[in-house]
């Protein structure tokens, strides 16, 4: 009866009963009259799941990372999963994960866009990707401050710095493009099926992006970081193609091959006077224009730079 109910073999049931009795010490006895097993006392309970302190911290970090699914149809399922896991924790480890915030924090970019609208858009796109169905969308392009109608074949959804993006073939542009979900004003299925190209690779498509943005042809970028900033640049892998050369004065020559310069421009400007673009000339001029505009805005401020320790809170 148990094997039929649980849809397993009778031998599996026998092994489970043996494990309960012999390994877990369950007070099992067989009742010949009722032809079944029973507990001789009610004091026995199944041992609860035991987690190490490291596993609890890993669970906490996982919960924080999964916050990126906030506003998607997976949010409720993830919350239920974590609730179930917490019910399995033993008394010694059974703590609210919020208590870990007292000694540990994890920075996750807040979700960009209105959650309810994103969830609806996300769900439709997931179905379209799985069903390989072309979608009709109205899309707002921030750079042109304009809306346009597009037919797109959705390939992939990617989360980057708190925003969800759709990677899809655009029938208007005749190429694969990236669309921010929070800028999709409306979408509807067309009923038309598509077949993704066999040679499309997400890794190759984004492989030459510094983050999520792509440009046209590949460009070789060369940036000089002074000795102050070079120490931090060396500590990270910014891009798979990067080449770092430490110079005699402690400064650093950073070389990378990317397909989009706009994202690189914003990245370089974030380092202020500690970085200088050496190539390509197009990027160098673009940064120079931004710096000139900044100089106009701060024309009334003192020209002398602050001392290194002027701003508090710098990481050791």
């Amino acid at each position: 009866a148990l094997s039929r109910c649980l849809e397993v073999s009778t031998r599996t049931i026998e092994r489970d009963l043996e494990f309960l009795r012999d390994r877990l010490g369950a007070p099992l006895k067989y009742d010949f009259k009722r032809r079944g097993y029973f507990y001789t006392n009610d004091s026995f309970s199944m041992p609860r799941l035991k987690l190490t302190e490291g596993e609890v911290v890993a669970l906490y970090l996982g919960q924080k990372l999964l916050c990126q699914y906030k506003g998607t149809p997976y949010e409720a399922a993830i919350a239920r999963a974590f609730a179930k896991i917490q019910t399995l924790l033993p008394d010694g480890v059974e703590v609210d994960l919020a208590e870990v915030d007292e000694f540990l924090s994890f920075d996750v970019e807040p979700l960009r866009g209105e959650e309810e609208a994103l969830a609806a858009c996300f769900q439709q796109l997931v179905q379209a990707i799985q069903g390989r169905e072309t979608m009709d969308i109205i899309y707002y392009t921030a750079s042109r401050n304009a809306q346009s109608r597009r037919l797109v074949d959705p390939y992939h959804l990617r989360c980057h710095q708190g925003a969800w993006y759709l990677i899809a073939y655009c029938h208007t542009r005749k190429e694969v493009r990236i669309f921010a979900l929070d800028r999709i004003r409306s979408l509807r299925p067309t009923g038309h099926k598509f077949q993704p190209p066999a040679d499309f690779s997400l890794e190759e498509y984004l492989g030459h992006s510094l983050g999520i943005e792509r440009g046209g042809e590949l460009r070789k970028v060369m940036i000089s970081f002074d000795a102050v900033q070079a120490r931090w640049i060396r500590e990270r892998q910014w891009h798979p193609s990067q080449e770092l050369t430490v110079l005699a004065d402690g400064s650093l020559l950073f070389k990378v091959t990317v397909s989009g310069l706009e994202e690189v421009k914003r990245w370089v400007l974030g380092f202020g006077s500690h970085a200088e673009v050496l190539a390509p000339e197009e990027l160098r001029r673009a940064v120079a224009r931004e710096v000139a505009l900044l100089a106009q805005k701060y024309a009334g401020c003192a020209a002398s730079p602050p001392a290194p320790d002027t701003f508090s809170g710098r990481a050791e």
Side-chain angles (χ1 to χ4, degrees):
L2 284 173
S3 67
R4 287 195 304 270
C5 178
L6 301 176
E7 297 181 347
V8 296
S9 68
T10 54
R11 183 55 192 148
T12 297
I13 297 297
E14 291 168 357
R15 283 196 298 265
D16 289 343
L17 290 170
E18 291 169 1
F19 183 84
L20 278 168
R21 183 190 62 212
D22 302 333
R23 298 285 299 277
L24 301 182
L28 281 176
K29 293 294 182 181
Y30 185 76
D31 188 329
F32 288 95
K33 292 182 179 180
R34 301 178 63 183
R35 301 183 65 185
Y37 288 85
F38 69 97
Y39 287 148
T40 58
N41 63 71
D42 297 331
S43 62
F44 175 78
S45 63
M46 293 286 289
R48 307 188 76 183
L49 178 69
K50 294 187 181 296
L51 296 179
T52 65
E53 291 182 7
E55 289 169 337
V56 173
V57 172
L59 185 64
Y60 170 81
L61 294 178
Q63 184 187 47
K64 294 295 183 181
L65 280 172
L66 288 171
C67 287
Q68 293 187 357
Y69 283 90
K70 195 176 177 69
T72 75
Y74 300 112
E75 180 183 2
I78 290 168
R80 289 195 301 270
F82 271 97
K84 289 178 180 178
I85 291 172
Q86 286 183 274
T87 61
L88 297 175
L89 295 177
D91 294 337
V93 190
E94 195 173 56
V95 295
D96 186 347
L97 291 179
E99 294 181 8
V100 186
D101 284 325
E102 295 180 5
F103 63 89
L104 185 68
S105 63
F106 194 77
D107 183 25
V108 176
E109 290 279 346
L111 188 70
R112 198 180 77 188
E114 199 276 316
E115 291 182 13
E116 189 172 333
L118 277 177
C121 181
F122 188 97
Q123 187 168 18
Q124 283 186 272
L125 288 172
V126 167
Q127 293 172 352
I129 291 170
Q130 293 174 337
R132 296 179 176 179
E133 182 174 7
T134 300
M135 300 294 286
D136 184 348
I137 70 172
I138 302 296
Y139 188 72
Y140 169 71
T141 304
S143 60
R144 298 198 305 272
N145 190 28
Q147 291 188 170
S148 60
R149 186 174 184 177
R150 313 281 186 95
L151 289 178
V152 298
D153 298 339
Y155 290 171
H156 187 84
L157 287 168
R158 185 179 183 89
C159 187
H160 177 70
Q161 295 184 347
W164 280 98
Y165 295 90
L166 169 67
I167 298 170
Y169 177 80
C170 176
H171 289 248
T172 301
R173 303 300 182 194
K174 305 299 182 185
E175 63 178 356
V176 177
R177 287 293 184 97
I178 299 173
F179 302 90
L181 260 63
D182 58 305
R183 294 177 187 154
I184 296 178
R185 298 299 184 243
S186 67
L187 74 165
R188 66 176 184 84
T190 63
H192 176 73
K193 301 295 182 179
F194 70 90
Q195 188 65 34
D199 60 348
F200 176 77
S201 167
L202 181 68
E203 290 72 22
E204 291 181 9
Y205 181 74
L206 294 177
H208 293 290
S209 300
L210 189 63
I212 192 68
E213 296 181 14
R214 296 180 77 254
E217 62 186 53
L218 294 181
R219 308 295 297 277
K220 291 185 177 181
V221 174
M222 185 161 54
I223 303 168
S224 173
F225 290 96
D226 63 19
V228 174
Q229 189 62 52
R231 298 192 292 269
W232 284 274
I233 296 297
R234 292 199 304 267
E235 292 178 343
R236 284 188 58 182
Q237 176 77 18
W238 301 93
H239 192 270
S241 68
Q242 73 182 39
E243 297 177 24
L244 307 181
T245 303
V246 180
L247 304 181
D249 61 355
S251 62
L252 181 74
L253 197 60
F254 177 92
K255 296 179 181 179
V256 67
T257 301
V258 295
S259 62
L261 297 181
E262 182 64 28
E263 198 167 26
V264 179
K265 183 189 76 172
R266 296 196 300 270
W267 180 68
V268 170
L269 287 169
F271 296 105
S273 61
H274 297 290
E276 179 187 359
V277 174
L278 303 180
E281 186 61 27
E282 175 189 351
L283 178 60
R284 182 176 174 87
R285 289 196 301 268
V287 172
R289 285 193 296 270
E290 292 289 342
V291 172
L293 292 172
L294 281 171
Q296 293 177 17
K297 290 181 179 293
Y298 294 96
C301 299
S304 58
D309 296 328
T310 298
F311 302 110
S312 61
R314 184 164 190 170
E316 292 290 340

